[in-house]
Amino acid sequence: MAILEIRNLRKVFGSVIANDDVNLSLEAGETHAILGENGAGKSTLIKMISGLYKPDYGQILLNGVEQHFANPREAIIAGIGVVHQHFMLIPALSVAENVVLGSEGGRFLFRKKQAIDNVLRISKELGLPLDPAIKVQDLPVGMQQRVEIVKALYRNARILILDEPTAVLTPQETEELFAVVRRLNQDQIPVIFISHKLDEVREIADRITVMRAGKSVHTMPIADATAKELAQLMVGREVVLETLKTPAQAGEVVLRVENLSVRDDRKTTRVKNVSFEVRTGEIFGIAGVDGNGQTELVEAIVGLRKLEGGKIHFLDKNITSENVSSRIQHGIGYVPQDRQRDGLVLQFTVADNLVLRSVGAKPFSKSGWLQKKSTRANAEKLIKEFDIRPPLEDVQVGSLSGGNQQKVILAREMAREPMLLIAVQPTRGLDVGAIEGIHRHLLSLCEQGKAVLLVSLELEEIMQLSDRIGVMHAGELVTVMDAKAATRESLGLAMTGERVEEGVAP
Amino acid sequence: MSKRTQSLVLPLLAVITGLILGGIIMWVSGYKPINAYVALFQGAFGNSVFIANTIAGAIPLILTSLGIAIAFRTGLFNIGAEGQYWIGAMVGTWIGYNFPHLPWYIHIPFALIGAMVAGGIWGGLIPGLAKAFVGAHEVITTMMMSYIAILIGHFMLERGPMMAPGYNPQSPLVTMSATLPTLVSNSNLSAGIFIAMVAIIVVYLLLFHTTFGYRLRTVGHNPMAAKYAGMNVPLFTIYSLGLSGVLAGLGGAVQIMGVDHQLTDTFSSGYGYTAIVVSLLARNNPIAIFFASVFFSALSTGSQVMQINSGVSPNMTDVITGVIIFFVATDKLYSYFRGKFRRSSKAQSEQKGVSVS
């Protein structure tokens, strides 16, 4: 009998079907991988199993008994342990304190000795060396993950769910994690392993369930699965939508990136030795699963992040050591991923936001004085051109809808007539109409002979708009291919880190 | 309610609630609130001397609040304006009595500028640099610097280098050449009011009509967007705290040169702290700061007459001030909760769309 069985699970949020007819069975001692793209419904499924969401339909059975978790605590008591992608640890507390937190035992006094003994015992059983006295904030990420695993086992987890556990790990840490997973399997504790990395899944899993668009598409033993087949199952085989664009006449090089390496805030190298060029008249798309270095790459190009190594040339000029504002002046437009966090001052009016990146230049200011008339005229013109609604220049941007906020950013960046527009996830969270409008604007830039660097997690969007497509995986530009030659399968495969034979080297 | 009417109505409500609650407390304690308020009003605005004194009392509040407002607009909390005010007064006094031979048109600007520079360094540059480069929080640093300033002031007067001959902890008088002329005889109202008015206009123009002010406000509202727009966020932190200190320092010097003419142990009556309330009540609007400053000054000058005419202790005005502070703060709470509510309902609807991964 399966330890955990999921039957026809369904979860709907408003008009979005997050999970539909999901089936899964977990046998004792197996590692079961769930593979799927971003948005395939993996997290929703996990949240239902761990008691965060209630299913709209379907059953969750533990050892043949149907469960109705009212909250995560009930799921924990039932023996379900989850290690979330973002750790739920308190950095200022010690390992032992974190492990026993919420189930300390004892009535009033904290039984420190007992807590430490427990941690030592569990970590020894697992072959996970762990110092119970050290503070969590002083541990590297891989060790923090161990704390989470020990914490789950301390609560007598009989099923362990690991949500994208390797996303934050180094290759060595990943190996150590796999060793732990195998040991748990030996102890008859099954593990659900969520990932979108094919190679890892093939290394660790016994069986694999592929999810796509909220459904469990297929379950098979790992031995039967080829990478190509998995990629196909993962991305589906829908016909690619008609590209709207006419093929670009690749012109001069606008942006040339050479051997770029970039670290994130935690000093981990996120972009490794990336080189590519963007030419006039083309849209260069960068595809990839979220968190594979795209953000850091873009931030380095616009000047918001220091380089670890490499060079950036813009219009034959070395801009590697220039700051953000001089790169703006050279003509680099930038539509950031998080429009509210980075792209707008929500308390400012539409008109003020439309000059955010050019307020120091004529005609919006003269020797330091703001020129409100030209700011207003500029706003009126752009509101009309980009159909920003409501068509008022003196309302706060924060009161606009997401789509209109995005239009404000796009209008601002395009009005400066940049030679290169970098757009990261420009249509995230927008409705179909707004998406189409933004796509049209991006394409019009190309027709004007400008260049666009488009970073998106939506394969559809990348394939529809790009002339050439680069795929990033684990900080590397795995492949650069002609959009005409690219298929969902080949892209999907590259996104999981497989080198693609037909890919044309950059 | 539109944003603009809201920013006008809510502070007014806070003031009215403060006055009503103050009235209830008076009534419960056996006084006649109407009479007391009439006396308070008469004491603040009853004749030209009273009006002049009320406006005179508003001058240091205006200048100091303007500084605090600039910091607030940049998202910074300058809690140490009191100390910057002291430093300005100290430097203004020192220059004021040490150069008796300078003509007034050099001596006065000299003293004012000296005080501004000192206030700027004290309140802005040091905490600003500490914040920009090592991330020391400005609430702590400005407050600590403030204590240091006030205690240095006491040291200077209590047998220190600035003590005048004699036994009293006070400095020598500033010379005539460093004295701001009195505008209404028998009152404290000096030409300092012109300095305060100019400061209001300058700060207003700076904040809302220059690229510098635009950038300050951008940094205040959203430092990430400021970075994205190529602005040097740490630099603007230093500018902002620096200007804040400049204005508080100016306030101290103007008070010395226009009213007190010498530094004494009991020099400041907490203007630096009242100024925080003024900025909050005025929502960091330079023009509203004028009215809020006059209001708080009126409470203080009117309270003397209120005591004589209706027997209510002048401390009653502190109670009213306290209530107003409370309601200004809760008015922030009000918008905070409304924002929270909106965000959580938004988060819920977003959750429906986004968390489908």
Side-chain angles (χ1 to χ4, degrees):
Chain A
M1 187 176 48
I3 299 227
L4 172 75
E5 199 172 344
I6 306 288
R7 286 188 195 154
N8 311 94
L9 221 53
R10 179 181 165 88
K11 182 73 190 169
V12 179
F13 297 106
S15 60
V16 182
I17 301 168
N19 269 189
D20 189 17
D21 200 16
V22 175
N23 290 285
L24 186 76
S25 76
L26 190 63
E27 309 289 340
E30 77 162 340
T31 295
H32 195 126
I34 299 179
L35 191 70
E37 280 191 303
N38 289 307
K42 293 171 297 189
S43 296
T44 308
L45 174 63
I46 294 314
K47 282 175 181 162
M48 284 192 285
I49 298 175
S50 59
L52 273 161
Y53 292 163
K54 270 179 216 155
D56 294 334
Y57 182 80
Q59 293 167 303
I60 299 172
L61 289 87
L62 265 178
N63 297 314
V65 183
E66 189 171 351
Q67 305 287 329
H68 297 280
F69 300 134
N71 53 49
R73 205 176 176 86
E74 289 188 17
I76 290 171
I77 291 167
I80 291 173
V82 184
V83 176
H84 292 279
Q85 199 175 349
H86 301 284
F87 302 146
M88 313 280 174
L89 297 171
I90 298 173
L93 294 184
S94 74
V95 168
E97 285 163 338
N98 264 289
V99 167
V100 301
L101 193 72
S103 49
E104 291 91 346
R107 278 174 192 278
F108 181 69
L109 295 172
F110 174 55
R111 296 185 182 165
K112 193 175 177 185
K113 177 94 179 23
Q114 197 184 354
I116 289 175
D117 288 347
N118 273 318
V119 172
L120 281 175
R121 179 177 52 78
I122 297 170
S123 62
K124 207 172 153 198
E125 277 169 22
L126 277 176
L128 281 178
L130 205 54
D131 178 357
I134 201 166
K135 278 188 183 161
V136 163
Q137 64 199 9
D138 299 327
L139 289 176
V141 182
M143 296 289 263
Q144 293 187 13
Q145 192 174 52
R146 289 183 183 184
V147 178
E148 283 279 20
I149 294 173
V150 171
K151 191 167 125 188
L153 296 173
Y154 175 76
R155 285 163 176 66
N156 296 317
R158 279 170 292 144
I159 296 171
L160 193 65
I161 300 171
L162 302 174
D163 189 3
E164 307 249 352
T166 57
V168 289
L169 299 186
T170 64
Q172 295 91 319
E173 287 173 332
T174 304
E175 277 310 312
E176 286 166 15
L177 173 71
F178 285 177
V180 173
V181 169
R182 289 189 189 106
R183 186 175 285 260
L184 286 170
N185 285 168
Q186 277 167 23
D187 298 344
Q188 296 302 303
I189 295 179
V191 175
I192 294 182
F193 189 96
I194 316 262
S195 179
H196 42 230
K197 295 182 184 165
L198 271 179
D199 43 353
E200 285 175 7
V201 163
R202 278 195 295 176
E203 187 181 339
I204 189 67
D206 302 304
R207 287 196 302 156
I208 186 164
T209 294
V210 179
M211 286 190 74
R212 185 176 73 234
K215 294 184 181 178
S216 52
V217 187
H218 195 56
T219 301
M220 59 186 134
I222 199 74
D224 297 356
T226 66
K228 198 159 182 180
E229 192 184 355
L230 288 176
Q232 273 178 9
L233 284 168
M234 203 162 107
V235 296
R237 254 176 296 196
E238 299 112 56
V239 183
V240 175
L241 288 174
E242 202 64 41
T243 31
L244 306 154
K245 65 172 306 183
T246 45
Q249 299 297 314
E252 309 151 47
V253 174
V254 176
L255 175 75
R256 192 166 79 241
V257 171
E258 283 171 21
N259 306 328
L260 203 68
S261 292
V262 190
R263 287 185 189 154
D264 65 7
D265 295 335
R266 288 167 40 196
K267 308 265 182 230
T268 314
T269 302
R270 284 288 177 184
V271 177
K272 296 169 196 157
N273 212 17
V274 166
S275 304
F276 63 91
E277 290 175 351
V278 184
R279 295 168 177 274
T280 55
E282 76 165 349
I283 295 184
F284 185 87
I286 291 184
V289 175
D290 199 10
N292 274 287
Q294 301 97 316
T295 315
E296 287 79 10
L297 173 68
V298 166
E299 285 178 354
I301 295 173
V302 297
L304 284 167
R305 196 171 277 284
K306 277 193 188 137
L307 304 187
E308 194 185 346
K311 280 194 192 126
I312 304 170
H313 290 268
F314 184 70
L315 297 172
D316 283 331
K317 205 168 173 186
N318 188 343
I319 59 162
T320 312
S321 54
E322 292 190 11
N323 62 19
V324 178
S325 61
S326 74
R327 292 188 203 197
I328 293 172
Q329 276 157 27
H330 286 319
I332 298 182
Y334 175 35
V335 177
Q337 175 164 6
D338 192 331
R339 52 181 164 261
Q340 299 203 343
R341 197 191 64 165
D342 296 325
L344 295 168
V345 181
L346 295 177
Q347 296 89 339
F348 278 9
T349 62
V350 171
D352 279 346
N353 269 288
L354 282 168
V355 297
L356 186 63
R357 303 231 303 166
S358 44
V359 72
K362 281 181 185 175
F364 305 121
S365 65
K366 272 184 200 151
S367 40
W369 291 92
L370 296 174
Q371 300 298 311
K372 306 231 166 177
K373 241 187 217 161
S374 26
T375 304
R376 209 173 304 132
N378 172 63
E380 277 162 11
K381 181 171 145 260
L382 292 177
I383 286 170
K384 215 174 272 167
E385 241 177 83
F386 285 78
D387 190 28
I388 294 165
R389 287 179 220 176
L392 304 168
E393 47 94 8
D394 59 353
V395 293
Q396 283 190 5
V397 147
S399 67
L400 265 52
S401 69
N404 281 294
Q405 290 182 356
Q406 191 71 345
K407 284 186 204 164
V408 170
I409 295 181
L410 198 68
R412 177 181 68 214
E413 296 307 304
M414 286 182 64
R416 298 180 41 254
E417 304 200 330
M419 273 312 289
L420 170 71
L421 182 74
I422 301 175
V424 183
Q425 292 272 78
T427 58
R428 192 178 64 150
L430 304 187
D431 61 59
V432 183
I435 290 174
E436 209 190 296
I438 284 173
H439 284 177
R440 219 161 5 89
H441 284 300
L442 292 179
L443 291 169
S444 77
L445 267 179
C446 290
E447 277 154 26
Q448 294 162 30
K450 308 286 168 52
V452 175
L453 177 63
L454 171 70
V455 178
S456 177
L457 305 179
E458 311 286 337
L459 267 188
E460 214 66 66
E461 180 168 81
I462 292 271
M463 295 180 72
Q464 226 174 317
L465 297 176
S466 309
D467 298 288
R468 288 187 303 143
I469 301 172
V471 179
M472 283 193 78
H473 174 259
E476 289 176 53
L477 196 62
V478 187
T479 176
V480 174
M481 53 182 112
D482 202 291
K484 277 174 285 190
T487 60
R488 285 188 68 93
E489 289 77 32
S490 60
L491 288 174
L493 212 56
M495 279 161 68
T496 56
E498 301 278 330
R499 295 269 167 184
V500 186
E501 304 81 44
E502 63 261 49
V504 185
Chain B
M1 221 175 349
S2 89
K3 189 89 184 170
R4 189 158 293 176
T5 51
Q6 187 184 322
S7 66
L8 208 67
V9 166
L10 290 178
L12 275 177
L13 270 179
V15 168
I16 292 167
T17 324
L19 292 176
I20 290 174
L21 274 176
I24 292 175
I25 293 170
M26 284 188 237
W27 179 65
V28 168
S29 341
Y31 298 103
K32 293 189 175 114
I34 308 277
N35 291 0
Y37 280 135
V38 169
L40 183 75
F41 185 82
Q42 280 173 345
F45 302 105
N47 62 41
S48 57
V49 173
F50 289 159
I51 294 178
N53 279 338
T54 298
I55 293 174
I59 295 171
L61 281 179
I62 292 172
L63 290 168
T64 316
S65 312
L66 285 173
I68 291 170
I70 288 181
F72 270 138
R73 288 268 179 191
T74 323
L76 300 164
F77 196 174
N78 177 10
I79 207 170
E82 178 82 0
Q84 296 143 24
Y85 181 75
W86 261 92
I87 285 285
M90 234 184 293
V91 172
T93 307
W94 189 83
I95 296 174
Y97 69 72
N98 261 323
F99 302 91
H101 303 299
L102 290 175
W104 67 268
Y105 53 85
I106 293 179
H107 204 175
I108 289 178
F110 180 30
L112 292 178
I113 291 169
M116 286 159 78
V117 170
I121 291 172
W122 203 266
L125 216 53
I126 298 172
L129 285 171
K131 168 124 184 166
F133 290 103
V134 293
H137 201 284
E138 78 279 1
V139 167
I140 306 296
T141 50
T142 55
M143 184 161 53
M144 293 304 145
M145 291 295 284
S146 174
Y147 286 132
I148 296 171
I150 296 167
L151 292 172
I152 288 179
H154 287 300
F155 161 76
M156 288 288 184
L157 298 175
E158 291 157 17
R159 308 213 179 137
M162 281 176 74
M163 187 180 179
Y167 297 100
N168 294 328
Q170 59 190 27
S171 76
L173 288 166
V174 297
T175 59
M176 273 312 286
S177 57
T179 302
L180 296 168
T182 302
L183 298 183
V184 176
S185 49
N186 296 323
S187 83
N188 285 334
L189 184 60
S190 72
I193 186 65
F194 298 123
I195 296 173
M197 300 304 270
V198 169
I200 289 176
I201 296 167
V202 168
V203 170
Y204 177 81
L205 291 176
L206 190 77
L207 275 177
F208 300 109
H209 287 273
T210 65
T211 54
F212 181 79
Y214 179 96
R215 291 183 173 131
L216 276 183
R217 287 181 291 127
T218 304
V219 170
H221 285 310
N222 187 349
M224 299 296 291
K227 257 182 87 179
Y228 157 80
M231 297 169 192
N232 187 339
V233 175
L235 190 66
F236 278 92
T237 304
I238 296 169
Y239 282 153
S240 170
L241 284 174
L243 274 176
S244 198
V246 161
L247 283 156
L250 178 64
V254 167
Q255 183 69 6
I256 288 291
M257 294 156 71
V259 181
D260 290 21
H261 306 301
Q262 67 183 153
L263 191 66
T264 62
D265 242 11
T266 53
F267 166 62
S268 172
S269 50
Y271 285 129
Y273 304 120
T274 312
I276 296 172
V277 186
V278 171
S279 312
L280 284 174
L281 189 64
R283 305 209 153 201
N284 307 317
N285 179 316
I287 292 154
I289 278 176
F290 173 81
F291 294 102
S293 298
V294 169
F295 172 74
F296 278 104
S297 174
L299 278 186
S300 147
T301 50
S303 63
Q304 311 299 329
V305 175
M306 180 172 75
Q307 184 179 27
I308 297 164
N309 284 10
S310 61
V312 176
S313 155
N315 292 336
M316 196 60 224
T317 58
D318 291 340
V319 173
I320 297 171
T321 310
V323 174
I324 292 171
I325 294 172
F326 181 81
F327 278 97
V328 168
T330 46
D331 140 36
K332 291 255 165 190
L333 279 180
Y334 163 80
S335 40
Y336 171 78
F337 278 122
R338 237 178 39 151
K340 261 250 151 111
F341 174 73
R342 272 205 199 132
R343 226 168 292 141
S344 68
S345 58
K346 201 174 143 198
Q348 270 172 9
S349 57
E350 260 178 17
Q351 209 175 33
K352 286 172 186 172
V354 175
S355 64
V356 196
S357 60

